[in-house]
Amino acid sequence: MLEIKTALQIAKPKAEVYNAIIDPEQMKHYFISEGSGMMDEGKTVSWKFPEFDEYVPVKVLKLIPNKLISFEWEGAAGQNLKVEISLAEMPGRTTLVKVTEGKMAADDMGIQWFGGNTEGWANFLACLKAYLEHGINLRKGGFDFMKE
């Protein structure tokens, strides 16, 4: 089975990182173009990405403030996949952000999903870091080529 695992350290405290992930008004500066509301346990929100027209439903499974964000969304072939974003305090009031998503069979569809979503989560982490540490939106214009 294939499972995505990626991580990046961000030079901000856990509370600041956590809020930037659950709040669509902050997410609009680095990840999505629209969100239907704050992530809240048991609630389904929708996210729209700048390079796509459709809205993606995100079912929030569990929130542990400043520690864990767990949700489910549709992956390849309509399969629901669980995503967990964990936050760990590191020295110097920095935060290690770990993202796990999966699992899918190691077939052609699974391998395509694994490559695309691994790239997507690495981009999410880089964009989150640039936004929180420097106020930069790396995603803006970065995927315009996908609209054509």
Side-chain angles (χ1 to χ4, degrees):
M1 294 296 278
L2 299 171
E3 182 178 42
I4 294 169
K5 293 182 179 188
T6 187
L8 190 66
Q9 193 164 333
I10 298 176
K12 292 292 178 180
K14 289 191 317 180
E16 197 171 330
V17 176
Y18 179 83
N19 288 327
I21 297 170
I22 66 164
D23 180 359
E25 291 305 311
Q26 290 192 63
M27 288 181 83
K28 287 194 292 190
H29 296 286
Y30 70 92
F31 190 52
I32 61 174
S33 59
E34 293 178 45
S36 64
M38 291 279 285
M39 295 181 87
D40 196 15
E41 202 167 291
K43 181 177 171 184
T44 298
V45 297
S46 60
W47 292 342
K48 183 177 184 303
F49 293 89
E51 61 274 12
F52 303 115
D53 291 330
E54 60 272 352
Y55 289 81
V56 177
V58 175
K59 181 180 179 184
V60 183
L61 302 174
K62 186 171 189 171
L63 296 176
I64 302 173
N66 308 328
K67 291 186 181 187
L68 177 73
I69 298 152
S70 176
F71 62 88
E72 189 175 78
W73 64 359
E74 188 176 312
Q79 180 179 344
N80 285 339
L81 296 174
K82 184 178 181 180
V83 175
E84 288 193 341
I85 303 172
S86 65
L87 309 176
E89 189 172 331
M90 301 298 287
R93 291 181 40 110
T94 65
T95 302
L96 178 61
V97 183
K98 293 182 181 180
V99 179
T100 304
E101 182 183 13
K103 301 178 175 171
M104 288 197 60
D107 56 15
D108 287 344
M109 184 173 295
I111 291 167
Q112 184 177 358
W113 160 81
F114 185 80
N117 281 31
T118 298
E119 179 182 319
W121 285 117
N123 180 264
F124 165 83
L125 290 171
C127 290
L128 176 63
K129 182 176 181 71
Y131 167 66
L132 287 176
E133 292 183 10
H134 306 287
I136 298 168
N137 185 345
L138 290 179
R139 195 173 181 104
K140 187 175 183 179
F143 295 97
D144 287 352
F145 68 94
M146 295 178 78
K147 294 179 183 178
E148 298 172 4

